[in-house]
Amino acid sequence: MECGLVLKSVGYKSIPVVGLPFDHRKGIVPNVRGRVLSEASEDAQVEKGLYVCGWLKRGPTGIIATNLYCAEETVASISEDVERGVVTSRSGLSKPGREGLLQLLDSRNVKIVPFGGWEKIDSEEKRRGSLKNKPREKLTSWQDLLEVATK
């Protein structure tokens, strides 16, 4: 699926993105399950093929893991729209999908951490934190993160 723009954001409050509707009071792009709405009103229509996640979707709430679940919801909306034919590939050609992505990452020697690995990291950080009467003790090196994720 072709993508014309990817945004990375760090901060406290989202700011408007040129060309997207924006609710200045809430600091979000109006949306339903990640599908961008034409405006922040009861009569708003879904903008075909536009999606949002993270703070731009829900406001400055949660922790890093909250973004994972937020993104999963948006990805589910994209998948539903592709299956229903609401959005389609511009080329119409068959795409290699997940397997193609995994092959590309492998060819570039990129190490990935699947969701199960993230769950192991989450569990280990909570375990280490409990030993210090804290909610969690963060793993701070790539070596430690990868070691725990691949146990």
Side-chain angles (χ1 to χ4, degrees):
M1 193 178 277
E2 188 174 312
C3 178
L5 177 67
V6 174
L7 299 174
K8 177 181 172 182
S9 68
V10 176
Y12 178 69
K13 186 176 181 183
S14 300
I15 57 173
V17 175
V18 175
L20 286 181
F22 192 74
D23 182 329
H24 289 275
R25 188 176 57 78
K26 294 180 181 176
I28 64 167
V29 169
N31 72 91
V32 174
R33 296 188 63 237
R35 293 178 180 98
V36 173
L37 299 175
S38 59
E39 57 186 279
S41 76
E42 299 284 327
D43 300 324
Q45 300 294 314
V46 170
E47 294 283 348
K48 179 181 167 186
L50 287 178
Y51 303 89
V52 67
C53 67
W55 284 6
L56 202 52
K57 174 181 172 184
R58 66 177 193 283
T61 62
I63 58 173
I64 291 171
T66 308
N67 285 320
L68 177 68
Y69 298 110
C70 176
E72 285 178 342
E73 179 183 61
T74 298
V75 168
S77 291
I78 295 168
S79 296
E80 289 167 10
D81 291 352
V82 168
E83 287 174 20
R84 292 184 3 234
V86 174
V87 292
T88 58
S89 167
R90 289 185 187 197
S91 70
L93 301 173
S94 177
K95 303 290 183 180
R98 177 182 170 82
E99 285 307 311
L101 175 60
L102 292 174
Q103 289 172 4
L104 176 65
L105 294 173
D106 187 54
S107 75
R108 294 181 179 177
N109 206 23
V110 174
K111 292 183 174 85
I112 64 165
V113 176
F115 184 68
W118 174 83
E119 289 178 312
K120 291 175 183 177
I121 292 168
D122 185 51
S123 179
E124 178 63 13
E125 288 181 343
K126 288 177 179 176
R127 184 192 70 76
R128 290 180 183 203
S130 70
L131 299 174
K132 297 181 176 185
N133 292 322
K134 296 168 48 178
R136 72 174 54 239
E137 179 71 18
K138 297 294 289 176
L139 296 169
T140 58
S141 74
W142 285 114
Q143 180 180 343
D144 290 345
L145 287 164
L146 293 173
E147 184 179 307
V148 168
T150 57
K151 280 185 186 176

